[in-house]
Amino acid sequence: MISNKIQQTQTLKLNISNNLVQSLKILNMGRQELEEELENFSLSNPVLDVEIKKDTIDWEKYFKNERGSISYDRNESAYQDDSDYDFENMTTDYDSLYDSLHGQINIIKMDESKRKICHYLVDSLDDDGYLREKEEDLANKFGVDKSIVLSAIKMIHSLEPAGIGARNLQECIILQLRDRYIFDKQLEQMVLNDLNLIANSNISYLSSRYKFTRDEVMEYINIIRSLDPRPAQKYARTNIVYAFPDVIVEYQDGEPMVKSFKERNISLSINQYYKDLLLTSDDEEVKKYIKEKLNSAKSMINDIEERGNTIVSISNAIIEFQYDYFKNNGRLKPMTQADIADKLDLHISTISRGVNDKYMLTNKGLFELKRFFTGAYESRDGEDISTDTVKDEIKTIIDGEDKRKPLSDSKIEGMLKEKGFDIARRTVSKYREELGYLSSSKRKNI
């Protein structure tokens, strides 16, 4: 039996206005992304005038004025009382490895067909200087015999820097050994077949298998460790990511405080022509268009203002929480985004957006706001210890170890527990790797 009934049901539905979506989007943007967004917005909305002033900070003056307001650790940085910052002299000049390789090819006597292949091989090298394309594919690409390609690869191997054009790590090492006039078939076999044992300094096995004395194996391992496994890396042009400060920490009577940087760089205003047109035009369609654009522009201006206020509020809360770090050059305390959210009575998602890709300029340097958030461990006496403190302890332990008998992660774990840090071995391994230290077997100084 089918019957028609009228029923009422209650459902919850979250409606997010376009204005709120835009506001959240603006807050989440980094400074460079924000400037690009404003420039694009002004193209679609002529009512809003956007002026973005570039390079308005006198960095040299800023650092000179702020110098002395905080104690520096002279062991951490190249600090000199009489040093001046000459930023013009701090730019980096890069040599192009690929230009150099092409130039070397051009002065070597060879037929033009082979030269063409050599130039192609240079352009095919990856960022580390390795050739990853297969010989068969290259031969098919140029319609030549594989032997021609192998001859061209051999030509690339003769170029500087040594090891360039290698097809794997073993070949890279062998090329560099030969460049040092070390021609030993047994040594090359050792590199080809047992590179992992070389990395782990398994001297007994290697000397027995390849009929070297222990001293010879140790000498070869030291030579191999001195080679460059990525011969093109030092020539690589690093992709530079420009970071712009959103806030600046200044000191008044020795007390740190945050000032927004936005006023100095971004200027938003309503275009005077459209103001006058709205007042003088008799065309209702024109007036309607201008009013719509004015509403959109006003919304954008409000969102930018709110973004700046939120970042300043978050930054000031960070300074209050990490007061000892900013005031006395102390260590960072354990702090989470939830701590700042509670302090400001904001949702944690607002804090997350407010620190994403945002930077604070201090007289210690330019830091991403995320830098000041650290996890925590509880010491035996109940004190919260930041992960930075734990890493500092690991660094101190490794730096002070006997390099002939490096400490394992398990031993470091035990030493940390003796100092009151209850840290698991896997966490020690993780922090050691983040600090850039190799495992104990690879740190061994033979």
Side-chain angles (χ1 to χ4, degrees), residues 418-440:
E418 289 177 3
K419 294 185 177 186
F421 302 104
D422 192 13
I423 310 297
R425 185 195 61 77
R426 63 179 179 274
T427 306
V428 173
S429 300
K430 174 186 173 184
Y431 289 169
R432 171 180 56 73
E433 291 173 358
E434 289 177 358
L435 288 167
Y437 291 103
L438 299 173
S439 63
S440 58

Side-chain angles (χ1 to χ4, degrees), residues 27-241:
L27 178 60
N28 194 57
M29 288 179 177
R31 184 160 195 86
Q32 189 170 16
E33 188 180 2
L34 174 66
E35 292 179 1
E36 291 172 357
E37 175 72 14
L38 286 171
E39 287 173 337
N40 292 331
F41 182 88
S42 66
L43 294 176
S44 61
N45 189 339
V47 168
L48 183 65
D49 284 340
V50 177
E51 182 183 1
I52 299 176
K53 301 174 184 177
K54 306 292 185 180
D55 301 323
T56 57
I57 287 185
D58 186 340
W59 298 90
E60 184 176 354
K61 180 180 177 182
Y62 173 75
F63 283 123
K64 284 181 179 178
N65 288 344
E66 291 301 316
R67 185 188 298 166
S69 62
I70 194 162
S71 58
Y72 283 81
D73 184 346
R74 302 186 185 200
N75 294 319
E76 287 185 0
S77 60
Y79 174 92
Q80 293 180 345
D81 285 327
D82 58 350
S83 66
D84 284 325
Y85 294 90
D86 186 351
F87 289 95
E88 199 170 297
N89 294 330
M90 293 173 67
T91 57
T92 304
D93 185 22
Y94 294 93
D95 292 326
S96 170
L97 171 64
Y98 296 95
D99 288 345
S100 173
L101 293 172
H102 284 303
Q104 293 176 61
I105 291 169
N106 287 333
I107 63 175
I108 297 175
K109 187 176 181 180
M110 69 179 86
D111 62 69
E112 289 307 311
S113 59
K114 187 174 180 181
R115 195 185 308 276
K116 181 180 179 181
I117 296 174
C118 286
H119 282 305
Y120 178 86
L121 294 178
V122 167
D123 289 332
S124 299
L125 300 177
D126 67 11
D127 290 341
D128 293 330
Y130 285 84
L131 180 64
R132 304 298 187 184
E133 288 196 53
K134 294 180 179 179
E135 296 92 338
E136 294 82 0
D137 295 339
L138 291 166
N140 292 333
K141 187 186 296 286
F142 288 98
V144 298
D145 189 79
K146 183 179 175 181
S147 61
I148 303 295
V149 172
L150 291 173
S151 176
I153 292 174
K154 187 176 181 181
M155 188 68 69
I156 299 298
H157 289 167
S158 70
L159 306 178
E160 291 292 335
I164 203 74
R167 286 157 287 188
N168 51 56
L169 178 57
Q170 289 90 334
E171 186 173 52
C172 183
I173 290 172
I174 290 171
L175 289 171
Q176 292 181 67
L177 289 172
R178 291 176 180 176
D179 184 67
R180 296 190 180 191
Y181 298 99
I182 301 174
F183 299 92
D184 188 311
K185 292 296 182 183
Q186 280 292 94
L187 174 58
E188 290 183 9
Q189 284 300 311
M190 188 169 77
V191 171
L192 288 171
N193 301 321
D194 289 304
L195 194 57
N196 286 335
L197 297 181
I198 292 172
N200 291 318
S201 300
N202 197 328
I203 297 170
S204 298
Y205 178 84
L206 293 172
S207 61
S208 173
R209 179 172 182 179
Y210 293 99
K211 310 305 179 186
F212 292 130
T213 66
R214 289 179 61 87
D215 288 343
E216 285 174 331
V217 173
M218 290 164 60
E219 183 181 357
Y220 284 143
I221 289 176
N222 284 332
I223 291 172
I224 290 169
R225 285 179 174 173
S226 72
L227 303 178
D228 192 347
R230 299 184 292 179
Q233 194 66 36
K234 61 184 177 183
Y235 297 89
R237 181 183 291 274
T238 305
N239 291 327
I240 300 174
V241 178

Side-chain angles (χ1 to χ4, degrees), residues 390-420:
V390 177
K391 288 181 180 180
D392 286 344
E393 291 291 340
I394 293 173
K395 183 179 186 303
T396 300
I397 290 172
I398 293 178
D399 288 346
E401 70 186 359
D402 183 348
K403 301 307 178 185
R404 294 170 298 178
K405 296 180 180 179
L407 298 167
S408 66
D409 291 339
S410 296
K411 288 183 179 178
I412 294 174
E413 174 194 4
M415 294 174 71
L416 288 171
K417 286 183 177 177
E418 289 177 3
K419 294 185 177 186

